[in-house]
Amino acid sequence: MLETLDAAAVRRWCASGLAALQRHQGEIDDLNVYPVPDGDTGTNLVLTLTSAQQALAMDLETLPDDGHTPHGHALRLMARGALLGARGNSGVILSQILRGFADALAAAPAVRGRQLAAALADAATAAYAAVAHPVEGTLLTVVAAAARAAEQADTDDLRAVTRAAAGGAARALARTPEQLPALARAGVVDAGGRGLCLLLDALVEVVTGESPARPAPVPAVRPPATAVRETGSPAYAYEVQYLLDATDEAVARLRGELDGLGDSLVIVGDGGTWNVHVHVNDVGAAVEAGVVAGRPHRITVTRFADQAAPAAPLPAPLPDGRAAVVVATGAGIAELFAAEGATVVPANPSTGELLDAIRATVAARVVVLPNDPNTQSVASAAAREAHQLGVKVSVVPTRSPVQALAALAVRDPKRRFEDDVIAMAEAAGACRYAEVCHASKEALTVAGPCRPGDVLALVEGEVHLIGADLLDTCTAMVDRMLGGGGELVTLLCGADAPAGLADRVREHVERSWPFVEVQAYEGGQPHYPLLVGVE
């Protein structure tokens, strides 16, 4: 049992918390309140804390000359790693909780009960500050309850305060369905709050040597869904980077080959020299692919387990340089964005991966299009980090790839950067978006109850139609959207869309709405057979 929290305990807490999240990753993913097959809160929390643990392993024994204690330095490393590895809203909020916790304890001579309670209060404040419009019944509520319970314990006994915080969090988690109707309808508790409870229980175990016995929330039952490969997966042991002199055609072939070898693939360049970055297990194959494509040089290989020294820094941003960084799911969608001159980052990126892509553009002004509500907070965190490096980043809050296409279409390098961002934001906002998928579980939606396998049409994120036939539901959804006006319809077909779906929707629009233009592309996105934009 511990009387105070030291650096070794911080390290054990991070490892124990990560192990708990990994054990319950599937359970937390299944707490998704929407009946769509893309719940990933558990995955995002695991990847965020994995980055925190890697940062701790990197240089825990190295102390800076800033007066911080060993435990304070360890907490700062943990928080910094979580920030750069943060994925999704839950990951970003968790990173801010850890940052608030670390800032409060960085210079504390010892961490006992009252110091821990004060740190949890700062952590809750940092978490709320990270969210533009805080909502109760979420991870925010749970961390605030943990802080209140710790303060009410009113003791220097670290064990008592830790138990009180974990207990307060667990009670708040159980009440989240009472605060959010969506949770009540789905019969689940908040997924992010569940993850925080696991982390606090891990802290109790480290401090007291006892594991709290708490029943796990019962998630809604859903059939297995095809998982999207996560970027930055711990399955790949090496990071390979090099500069490459090659033609556009050779690089296009290289993208396909490296994509099959690993993940976190980013290739950016000006048509002559390219910066290649990929995570793989077969280093030789990744380098050989570069040799086939052209002339690789400045090759660096980092084994994550060793945390080798970082590669040479990128050149300073070009003062007049502009760029766009876009998050994309699906090979076809990525190609569309690349054709518009954007740097493409795979879906569900971490803060660090977005920051790397921003820096790799070597531009002083960069616009970021996240294309997913769950990635907006990650993009904002990357923008703040980039600002400290002298790069001005504006995030246009696109929620769908069709909105990003509309935004990129109006880019004009002759305009002032700020005016260009405004024009892009206006174009994105004028594009209404929708998506069609199959329900993965029973749920009560705004459009009524649905069952697994039903076809769901979501407009602006809300279920508007529930059908049995995919084509009928798609055409009905487009009719509903065009009923509110529109001159251009954009269709993006998913990887699992039946052959001819886009053609049949196009034919329906041409018959029913003869003055509306239709553009159709193979998007290749998972889960959603059709994405629709109306401008």
Side-chain angles (χ1 to χ4, degrees):
M1 291 188 294
L2 298 180
E3 298 293 335
T4 185
L5 194 68
D6 56 22
V10 171
R11 194 173 191 176
R12 293 197 303 275
W13 175 36
C14 187
S16 179
L18 176 58
L21 287 173
Q22 288 170 332
R23 287 195 303 271
H24 296 272
Q25 179 175 339
E27 168 205 316
I28 297 174
D29 282 345
D30 280 341
L31 293 175
N32 183 35
V33 298
Y34 269 113
V36 295
D38 59 0
D40 58 0
T41 300
T43 300
N44 288 339
L45 289 173
V46 166
L47 292 172
T48 300
L49 207 62
T50 296
S51 180
Q53 188 182 46
Q54 290 172 347
L56 273 174
M58 183 169 59
D59 61 353
L60 185 62
E61 303 303 323
T62 303
L63 288 178
D65 298 326
D66 57 5
H68 292 159
T69 59
H71 65 259
H73 181 55
L75 287 168
R76 281 191 177 275
L77 286 174
M78 184 176 172
R80 177 68 176 171
L83 172 64
L84 294 181
R87 282 178 167 83
N89 288 335
S90 56
V92 170
I93 293 173
L94 176 61
S95 73
Q96 294 308 294
I97 290 172
L98 293 175
R99 181 186 66 79
F101 198 77
D103 287 350
L105 298 175
V111 181
R112 295 188 173 86
R114 287 188 171 86
Q115 288 80 17
L116 183 71
L120 281 171
D122 285 0
T125 300
Y128 274 87
V131 179
H133 303 287
V135 176
E136 297 304 328
T138 64
L139 172 56
L140 300 175
T141 304
V142 176
V143 69
R148 286 194 300 272
E151 181 182 14
Q152 290 167 0
D154 194 22
T155 176
D156 280 330
D157 187 331
L158 181 64
R159 293 160 295 183
V161 171
T162 305
R163 289 192 186 104
R171 291 189 294 274
L173 177 67
R175 292 193 299 268
T176 54
E178 301 171 13
Q179 298 169 292
L180 272 183
L183 296 176
R185 287 196 299 267
V188 297
V189 295
D190 179 69
R194 171 61 172 152
L196 180 64
C197 285
L198 289 170
L199 286 181
L200 291 174
D201 284 344
L203 182 60
V204 171
E205 187 171 1
V206 167
V207 171
T208 68
E210 304 168 358
S211 179
R214 305 190 200 280
V218 179
V221 178
R222 69 168 71 185
T226 302
V228 182
R229 184 180 64 179
E230 297 291 336
T231 60
S233 167
Y236 298 104
Y238 298 91
E239 177 190 65
V240 177
Q241 289 184 268
Y242 49 84
L243 295 181
L244 178 71
D245 297 333
T247 64
D248 292 5
E249 294 76 13
V251 169
R253 292 190 295 271
L254 178 65
R255 288 182 191 275
E257 186 163 353
L258 292 181
D259 189 56
L261 291 175
D263 68 1
S264 291
L265 174 62
V266 178
I267 302 180
V268 294
D270 59 5
T273 300
W274 306 81
N275 191 314
V276 180
H277 170 281
V278 67
H279 293 180
V280 296
N281 287 326
D282 191 342
V283 175
V287 176
E288 287 170 7
V291 173
V292 172
R295 185 181 74 86
H297 51 102
R298 282 178 57 185
I299 301 171
T300 62
V301 178
T302 300
R303 190 167 82 101
F304 293 118
D306 294 340
Q307 291 294 330
L314 290 168
L318 299 175
D320 297 327
R322 290 196 196 180
V325 174
V326 188
V327 180
T329 302
I333 293 176
E335 290 175 5
L336 289 172
F337 291 143
E340 293 289 339
T343 296
V344 180
V345 179
N348 197 29
S350 68
T351 305
E353 287 167 348
L354 266 183
L355 181 61
D356 287 345
I358 291 168
R359 295 184 63 200
T361 66
V362 198
R365 295 175 178 84
V366 180
V367 61
V368 176
L369 307 173
N371 294 338
D372 178 3
N374 204 35
T375 306
Q376 287 184 23
S377 56
V378 175
S380 297
R384 290 191 294 270
E385 291 293 310
H387 180 74
Q388 298 179 18
L389 301 174
V391 182
K392 183 174 184 177
V393 177
S394 292
V395 179
V396 175
T398 52
R399 291 172 170 260
S400 171
V402 293
Q403 290 187 316
L405 289 172
L408 290 172
V410 302
R411 267 201 310 170
D412 184 354
K414 297 179 183 178
R415 281 193 293 244
R416 289 175 61 247
F417 176 71
E418 293 77 9
D419 293 338
D420 209 28
V421 170
I422 292 172
M424 294 176 72
E426 289 176 343
C431 177
R432 287 167 288 147
Y433 68 94
E435 53 225 354
V436 178
C437 67
H438 290 90
S440 63
K441 63 179 181 179
E442 290 187 9
L444 182 60
T445 74
V446 174
C450 70
R451 297 178 180 177
D454 284 349
V455 182
L456 306 180
L458 293 89
V459 180
E460 307 281 330
E462 288 288 349
V463 178
H464 276 223
L465 295 170
I466 301 173
D469 181 81
L470 178 62
L471 177 62
D472 289 346
T473 306
C474 289
T475 55
M477 178 184 69
V478 173
D479 286 342
R480 178 168 294 196
M481 296 179 73
L482 287 174
E487 300 174 350
L488 172 65
V489 173
T490 301
L491 307 176
L492 297 178
C493 274
D496 300 325
L501 177 64
D503 291 337
R504 298 179 71 181
V505 174
R506 181 205 297 270
E507 293 168 359
H508 171 81
V509 174
E510 290 173 347
R511 286 194 307 269
S512 304
W513 308 88
F515 299 106
V516 174
E517 180 184 353
V518 182
Q519 296 178 342
Y521 306 97
E522 291 296 328
Q525 70 274 5
H527 302 316
Y528 297 93
L530 191 68
L531 301 180
V532 179
V534 173
E535 302 174 55

